[in-house]
Amino acid sequence: MLWSAYSLRNLWARRVTTLLTLLGLGLVVFVFVAILMLAHGLERTMGKTGDPANAIVMSKGALSEIESSLSREQTGVLAAQPEVITLADHQAAAVREIALQLTLRKQEGGSLASLSLRGSSPDAFAVRPLVRIAQGRLWQPGTTEVIVGTQVAKQFPEARLSETLRFGRREWTVVGIFEAEGSGFDSEVWGDAEQMMATFHRTLFSSMTVRLADPTVLPAFKARLERDPRFKVSVKREPEYYEGKAEGLARLIRVTGLFLTLVFSVGAILGATMTMSASVAHRTTEIGTLRTLGFTRSHILQAFLLESSLLGLAGGLLGVAGAALLNSVTISTVNWDTGAELAFAFHLTPTMVGEGLLFAAGMGIIGGLVPAARAAHIEIVHALGQRTV
Amino acid sequence: MTLMRLMFRNTVRRPVRLALTVGGLAMVVLAFGLLRLTLDEWHSGVKAAANNRLITVHAMSDSLLLPLSYRERMAVVPGVQVVHYGNVFGVEYRDAKESFGAFAEHMSTFFETYPEVILNEGDRLAFLKDRGGCLIGLKLAARFGWKVGDVIPLKGTTHPGNWDLVVRGIFRSSSPGIMGEGELYVHWEFANERLRATAPDRVDQVGWYVTTTAPGVNPRTVVAAIDATFANSFAETRTEREQAYIAGWVARSGALLDALDWLSGVMNGIAALVLVNALAMAVRERTREYGVMKTLGFQPRHLVALVLGESLLVALGGALAGLGLLYPAARLYAVMVAGGKTVGAYEITSETIGMCLGVMGLVGLLAALWPAVRLSRMTTLEGLRHRG
Amino acid sequence: MVDPVVSLQKVTKSYSRAGTDVSVLRDLSFDIPAGTFLAIMGPSGSGKSTLLNVMAGIDRPTSGSVVVAGTRLDGLSEGEMARWRARHIGYVFQTYNLIPVLTAAENVELPLALTHLTRRERSDHVRTALRLVGLGDRMAHYPRQLSGGQEQRVGVARAIVSDPTMILADEPTGNLDRESADDILTLLARLNRELGKTIVMVTHDPRAAERAQMIRYLEKGVLEMPP
């Protein structure tokens, strides 16, 4: 108890230096946690896109919906597979869709951005129960009405409720806003597949998403369809497919972030070492006195290590607190794997708080190691003989 | 001068602390340098863009295709010299992790549209003659050890089916920001032919048109004329000068680039903290000496100059050490970001060096501010009475 | 009588400590003629160092006027005071206060950085000053390589190198052994006798004070003749 009070008061006695070191450590932890939050937020967004019991079927070889094409006959056969569950109205829980993109301007005078435009059918809501209409209503099948995700409505003034979009020489009215629990669908525009195919002179769909009885059925379903030469399709679990579509972005965030944090932390550790060295140098006489009183070298080592880990922890708290302010701040940027705009949020988890604090304490301890060892090895005679002026 | 000497000696007075400070600063400069390189990499295409090239894409989205028939209508737009076109040629080699960019281009206009491509005449003619051949960049060739005459087995994604392409030439680029050396090129007509069987919806369509404007023509009028030609057709066009087109793509990543920019600001904050801390310690220890100097008749400005000089000296040391580390680190970082894909340039330019030095100079200046203010406020007596 | 180098009129210096005003100097008026070697004695806390600092322009009186070397100090700004000090005052500290990272010669040269002398003139001055204090052979030594007595001699050399009007010494022998102390006192006496320097020395050591021409006691803020 006395020991930690000793360490704490020493930190307080040199508060300017302590504060500067704290800020340095805090900034490093802030960056570290912020990067984790962003990468996690992105993966969460993509991982929530779709349902584990859903399978997305695309033409063989296609890496994305945009590259894929399925004929009307193919989709009919696919929907009739026994693994696909049946809805209350005896229809198969399957939705065939066409993937397009739409370029709009972000804000007045902002940059252009591409949006995922999904030609679909109302069945999409049966297949993806997560998605629900938040405002307005569903589009009328057979019309040029569209609905937009919440993030689209937020980022693009041209796509707000009741606005009219112009593309393919036709006008498309936004009649509803849908909400998909922060998943990637929130960054999409949905409308009637048949209308869009007619508009763009297309005869082929892009993909088909089917709902299976439960997630465990999927591997067998996938194996059967992919092996059968009549289908010429590839099958992926829906959320896994979307997760794969953000790998490039996730890697950039993680690599850049962690590389920088690593480099940073070396700087902060050196800062901590400097602070602790000065603290030791300053207290040579005091250390001599303590040793004369009967405290052992290991006591001295402990006191200084405690002091430096307290320094680290305090910095860590500062950094984590700063990062917590970023929680659920949304950023919207282009996803390079698809070329389309994607919104995702910083997301803080308890694990990250722990990691941040641990990281901070670690930096403090590593930084304090050499000065503490030096303090422990000071000779009493030397320490007391030192001139104080 | 004695003061100059005093400044140098003060700087190296605590070798351990100096090493720690310079080390800390070097790390920050290193991180800052890496970020600047990342941002430079992003903007490299914008800088390297040619003035006379225009890009035309589908007005609704870059990912939608335009009819091949637009070629003739574009050629007659006044001011247009050459009409070139191409598509993404999506392929996989072995597996998705080892993918690279590939494009199907109209080869009769490719070389005059992109003078950046450097290829010897023999290989060029051989490639033009072989419709099933391909052209690869130097970096791509190095990555997989491919040579002229090798057959590359690829699996098509945008163009379904298996493609066995014979390497007919390995090119270098005079401007990697525009024409990377990590890509593969095939004949557009060859790729298009196979689509008739595999994806009839995409036959005779192109991803983009590239037109060059005649000398002396204002590209802006050509841009407007092209878009006017296709206004109200079923696929309207969006034409931009090459620079604006690339800048538009960079802007789409604006949120991320802003975050990186912001991060590099935070970094300099850390640098300033490290330096302020070291200086504050040094100044506190030497307070008595400063008091003595004041007694001898030195003015506050002399003392401020001493501290400022020391601060700048240490900052400079940190900048130089950091730049020294930047060279090997940039290479490692480039490989990591690429994650198995073709590695970007990440070239350290004199601009990067100047930026690092400039920013550290500023940090040195700022870090000296607070100790300097404290020193000039301190009375002689306070200085003399100070117990270190 | 010669013109006074120092002239104090009704100088009072008080500090407020724990709410009450403590006067260290009370209505002090006296002159010091040029060429004098004056020792000021007194017990600890009598205000003798404060008096010295007021004369050196590093402390300001609460009231009264101080004229040193023909300049009235009360009106001067900090900067003007520093400039004035550089020209007229050589200060010797009890704890020597040499800059540890500079050699003996560089320490002595330090005040000359404020003058417009050429490099050559500066090094001549430094050599002369160090020879005068008997350290002509220790020019390149750092303070930590010198004994206490030698350090203080460097301190004296630094005080005289710019040829100031007067030398102020605050317990110059306070940290020295008897023998080194005698050396320093002999040196100060010589500077006074041979070069005509005005010297004011504060000390609590009667044996040191004996070496001065004149001794005054400061007690309860008032200056008195020796008993």
Side-chain angles (χ1 to χ4, degrees):
Chain A
M1 200 53 236
L2 184 67
W3 229 208
S4 55
Y6 174 70
S7 296
L8 262 178
R9 278 189 211 144
N10 276 317
L11 286 173
W12 179 248
R14 308 168 55 76
R15 49 190 172 274
V16 174
T17 292
T18 302
L19 193 74
L20 290 170
T21 315
L22 272 185
L23 279 176
L25 287 166
L27 276 176
V28 175
V29 174
F30 172 76
V31 172
F32 173 71
V33 176
I35 300 287
L36 289 182
M37 284 167 74
L38 195 61
H40 180 77
L42 173 62
E43 280 157 10
R44 210 170 95 97
T45 294
M46 296 319 270
K48 278 204 308 196
T49 310
D51 192 298
N54 287 358
I56 179 164
V57 185
M58 294 183 292
S59 57
K60 202 176 197 77
L63 292 178
S64 66
E65 289 174 276
I66 286 214
E67 293 173 358
S68 161
S69 33
L70 297 176
S71 68
R72 215 169 272 274
E73 299 77 59
Q74 269 177 303
T75 59
V77 177
L78 285 166
Q81 296 305 308
E83 291 92 338
V84 178
I85 61 165
T86 314
L87 298 171
D89 57 354
H90 306 294
Q91 287 270 314
V95 59
R96 47 194 188 183
E97 296 178 315
I98 175 163
L100 295 162
Q101 284 189 358
L102 172 65
T103 305
L104 288 182
R105 205 165 278 285
K106 269 186 173 182
Q107 287 110 34
E108 202 70 22
S111 64
L112 289 174
S114 289
L115 284 170
S116 290
L117 174 62
R118 190 180 288 277
S120 187
S121 80
D123 294 337
F125 288 86
V127 175
R128 305 185 184 108
L130 200 83
V131 185
R132 56 179 189 81
I133 298 284
Q135 265 185 73
R137 58 175 175 82
L138 195 61
W139 73 89
Q140 283 292 334
T143 66
T144 58
E145 292 174 349
V146 292
I147 60 174
V148 300
T150 45
Q151 289 298 338
V152 175
K154 235 184 258 171
Q155 309 273 351
F156 298 87
E158 297 171 72
R160 292 203 187 112
L161 196 59
S162 319
E163 295 285 332
T164 303
L165 300 169
R166 276 172 201 83
F167 54 82
R169 275 192 298 174
R170 298 174 81 173
E171 300 197 332
W172 307 73
T173 311
V174 180
V175 296
I177 295 176
F178 64 92
E179 205 271 336
E181 297 196 354
S183 74
F185 293 132
D186 277 337
S187 303
E188 295 189 353
V189 177
W190 291 6
D192 191 84
E194 303 292 342
Q195 288 302 314
M196 289 186 193
M197 287 165 77
T199 305
F200 295 104
H201 301 210
R202 298 280 184 95
T203 53
L204 302 175
F205 290 96
S206 299
S207 67
M208 176 150 211
T209 302
V210 298
R211 189 162 183 79
L212 308 175
D214 73 279
T216 55
V217 181
L218 196 130
F221 177 68
K222 174 183 167 76
R224 191 169 67 78
L225 260 61
E226 287 186 349
R227 222 178 293 131
D228 195 326
R230 286 172 301 164
F231 290 118
K232 286 193 181 136
V233 294
S234 63
V235 178
K236 282 194 173 120
R237 201 184 284 282
E238 196 181 20
E240 278 167 19
Y241 165 74
Y242 287 107
E243 253 175 322
K245 292 283 107 191
E247 267 175 7
L249 200 54
R251 181 168 44 239
L252 179 98
I253 293 172
R254 279 196 194 278
V255 170
T256 306
L258 296 182
F259 206 89
L260 292 180
T261 312
L262 187 79
V263 170
F264 264 12
S265 63
V266 176
I269 286 171
L270 293 179
T273 305
M274 199 161 66
T275 306
M276 292 306 298
S277 297
S279 175
V280 171
H282 201 68
R283 274 152 47 196
T284 310
T285 317
E286 198 174 303
I287 292 163
T289 312
L290 286 170
R291 296 265 285 114
T292 314
L293 292 179
F295 289 98
T296 61
R297 288 190 195 281
S298 125
H299 281 125
I300 305 289
L301 186 76
Q302 278 169 31
F304 277 95
L305 278 186
L306 187 68
E307 189 173 324
S308 68
S309 57
L310 279 175
L311 192 68
L313 267 181
L317 278 174
L318 205 68
V320 170
L325 294 178
L326 286 177
N327 200 22
S328 40
V329 168
T330 302
I331 83 162
S332 177
T333 186
V334 66
N335 178 7
W336 306 317
D337 291 298
T338 61
E341 190 77 5
L342 178 70
F344 51 99
F346 287 90
H347 190 260
L348 186 68
T349 63
T351 327
M352 284 178 209
V353 174
E355 281 169 351
L357 290 181
L358 215 64
F359 178 53
M363 283 196 291
I365 289 174
I366 295 173
L369 222 49
V370 173
R374 238 187 20 209
H377 284 89
I378 285 176
E379 295 297 330
I380 302 183
V381 193
H382 236 99
L384 292 178
Q386 197 199 35
R387 271 196 306 185
T388 44
V389 176
Chain B
M1 252 277 295
T2 318
L3 276 185
M4 220 34 166
R5 226 174 305 156
L6 182 57
M7 187 184 87
F8 277 108
R9 301 249 177 93
N10 273 340
T11 307
V12 296
R13 191 157 173 179
R14 299 251 181 197
V16 175
R17 183 188 300 159
L18 177 67
L20 292 172
T21 314
V22 168
L25 291 180
M27 286 300 149
V28 174
V29 171
L30 175 59
F32 179 74
L34 286 176
L35 266 193
R36 295 322 304 180
L37 287 182
T38 308
L39 291 168
D40 284 353
E41 182 77 5
W42 271 91
H43 292 112
S44 63
V46 180
K47 277 190 210 144
N51 268 325
N52 66 335
R53 279 196 296 252
L54 310 178
I55 315 281
T56 302
V57 293
H58 197 295
M60 206 179 120
S61 165
D62 302 64
S63 64
L64 294 176
L65 303 174
L66 293 168
L68 182 62
S69 58
Y70 281 16
R71 177 174 53 164
E72 285 78 27
R73 294 169 67 188
M74 281 182 143
V76 296
V77 170
V80 169
Q81 212 169 27
V82 178
V83 180
H84 171 76
Y85 52 88
N87 262 5
V88 168
F89 184 65
V91 287
E92 273 188 307
Y93 175 64
R94 294 204 290 234
D95 69 85
K97 289 247 157 60
E98 291 183 289
S99 66
F100 46 83
F103 303 96
E105 308 260 0
H106 181 56
M107 286 303 165
S108 356
T109 47
F110 180 69
F111 294 99
E112 56 181 314
T113 309
Y114 290 105
E116 287 91 345
V117 175
I118 305 169
L119 181 66
N120 74 56
E121 197 53 22
D123 289 349
R124 195 172 79 92
L125 293 174
F127 171 62
L128 286 175
K129 226 180 278 171
D130 178 10
R131 274 169 36 96
C134 72
L135 205 59
I136 59 176
L138 194 63
K139 276 192 176 174
L140 184 62
R143 194 172 139 202
F144 295 107
W146 289 331
K147 300 179 299 293
V148 172
D150 285 358
V151 176
I152 309 177
L154 296 172
K155 213 171 78 185
T157 60
T158 53
H159 294 65
N162 292 322
W163 302 80
D164 294 316
L165 303 167
V166 183
V167 178
R168 287 300 174 201
I170 295 173
F171 68 90
R172 284 185 303 115
S173 167
S174 64
S175 180
I178 286 291
M179 178 67 48
E181 292 179 348
E183 277 105 44
L184 177 146
Y185 291 87
V186 297
H187 289 270
W188 184 88
E189 282 69 18
F190 179 61
N192 188 51
E193 213 48 52
R194 294 256 308 252
L195 284 177
R196 287 190 200 285
T198 54
D201 258 22
R202 286 192 217 134
V203 176
D204 286 346
Q205 296 186 54
V206 302
W208 57 83
Y209 284 99
V210 180
T211 47
T212 58
T213 54
V217 175
N218 183 356
R220 283 172 217 286
T221 60
V222 183
V223 165
I226 292 176
D227 284 347
T229 307
F230 303 106
N232 291 318
S233 29
F234 118 85
E236 295 189 344
T237 58
R238 189 180 76 217
T239 304
E240 282 173 307
R241 302 175 66 176
E242 186 173 60
Q243 186 158 40
Y245 180 78
I246 299 171
W249 270 101
V250 173
R252 290 180 193 202
S253 296
L256 273 190
L257 298 184
D258 286 351
L260 290 185
D261 247 341
W262 188 80
L263 205 60
S264 61
V266 170
M267 255 177 257
N268 294 315
I270 294 181
L273 283 175
V274 170
L275 194 52
V276 168
N277 200 359
L279 273 186
M281 278 184 211
V283 168
R284 192 176 38 231
E285 281 168 6
R286 293 181 215 142
T287 305
R288 222 174 136 75
E289 286 165 34
Y290 294 126
V292 171
M293 288 184 70
K294 278 195 150 185
T295 310
L296 296 182
F298 283 92
Q299 304 271 354
R301 66 187 153 88
H302 292 118
L303 306 186
V304 169
L306 268 183
V307 174
L308 186 64
E310 186 175 345
S311 180
L312 288 175
L313 215 55
V314 176
L316 182 73
L320 292 180
L323 284 171
L325 290 172
L326 187 56
Y327 283 85
R331 204 160 309 150
L332 178 65
Y333 175 71
V335 171
M336 281 172 71
V337 168
K341 303 223 166 113
T342 304
V343 174
Y346 290 94
E347 235 168 292
I348 297 165
T349 58
S350 54
E351 215 173 310
T352 319
I353 295 173
M355 187 116 183
C356 287
L357 286 175
V359 162
M360 285 316 279
L362 207 65
V363 165
L365 211 65
L366 280 176
L369 215 60
W370 180 61
V373 166
R374 251 184 41 163
L375 264 190
S376 43
R377 283 218 191 120
M378 175 191 85
T379 68
T380 312
L381 213 54
E382 279 164 1
L384 284 177
R385 287 201 180 132
H386 186 87
R387 308 270 145 190
Chain C
M1 195 165 163
V2 208
D3 275 346
V5 174
V6 178
S7 177
L8 271 67
Q9 294 292 321
K10 292 180 172 300
V11 168
T12 297
K13 176 77 185 178
S14 48
Y15 298 100
S16 79
R17 243 176 227 147
T20 51
D21 277 0
V22 182
S23 294
V24 187
L25 304 177
R26 260 184 234 150
D27 259 350
L28 216 58
S29 300
F30 70 92
D31 289 353
I32 302 173
T36 315
F37 182 178
L38 169 70
I40 298 176
M41 295 195 67
S44 301
S46 59
K48 50 191 196 303
S49 286
T50 305
L51 180 58
L52 197 73
N53 288 341
V54 165
M55 285 191 256
I58 55 182
D59 205 348
R60 289 173 191 270
T62 315
S63 65
S65 93
V66 182
V67 178
V68 181
T71 309
R72 218 186 129 114
L73 300 186
D74 15 338
L76 299 186
S77 70
E78 272 276 321
E80 287 164 338
M81 196 87 101
R83 249 185 305 271
W84 166 84
R85 204 156 48 229
R87 271 197 55 204
H88 296 291
I89 303 293
Y91 202 101
V92 180
F93 301 91
Q94 178 178 359
T95 50
Y96 336 131
N97 283 342
L98 300 183
I99 308 291
V101 290
L102 296 181
T103 61
E106 286 164 348
N107 263 295
V108 175
E109 194 186 338
L110 199 55
L112 300 181
L114 293 165
T115 63
H116 295 292
L117 298 178
T118 63
R119 181 195 271 284
R120 212 203 156 78
E121 287 168 328
R122 288 207 307 262
S123 75
D124 284 348
H125 279 65
V126 170
R127 204 167 302 120
T128 310
L130 275 170
R131 277 208 198 112
L132 203 63
V133 300
L135 288 175
D137 56 342
R138 292 281 195 275
M139 307 252 295
H141 285 58
Y142 283 93
R144 63 171 183 281
Q145 298 167 318
L146 299 172
S147 71
Q150 287 171 329
E151 275 195 75
Q152 189 59 299
R153 279 193 272 162
V154 175
V156 173
R158 180 174 65 185
I160 59 170
V161 73
S162 54
D163 195 22
T165 313
M166 67 186 299
I167 295 171
L168 300 176
D170 187 4
E171 302 271 14
T173 59
N175 275 23
L176 297 177
D177 59 69
R178 195 64 256 163
E179 202 180 328
S180 305
D182 278 341
D183 284 350
I184 293 294
L185 291 165
T186 309
L187 184 57
L188 290 176
R190 237 181 84 209
L191 290 172
N192 171 251
R193 201 173 54 245
E194 290 173 15
L195 302 176
K197 289 280 166 213
T198 309
I199 300 176
V200 179
M201 173 175 76
V202 156
T203 183
H204 63 270
D205 176 7
R207 287 181 62 182
E210 274 171 23
R211 307 289 293 266
Q213 283 175 348
M214 197 193 286
I215 304 178
R216 289 288 180 276
Y217 284 91
L218 189 65
E219 201 145 14
K220 289 172 186 155
V222 182
L223 207 58
E224 288 163 0
M225 296 289 280

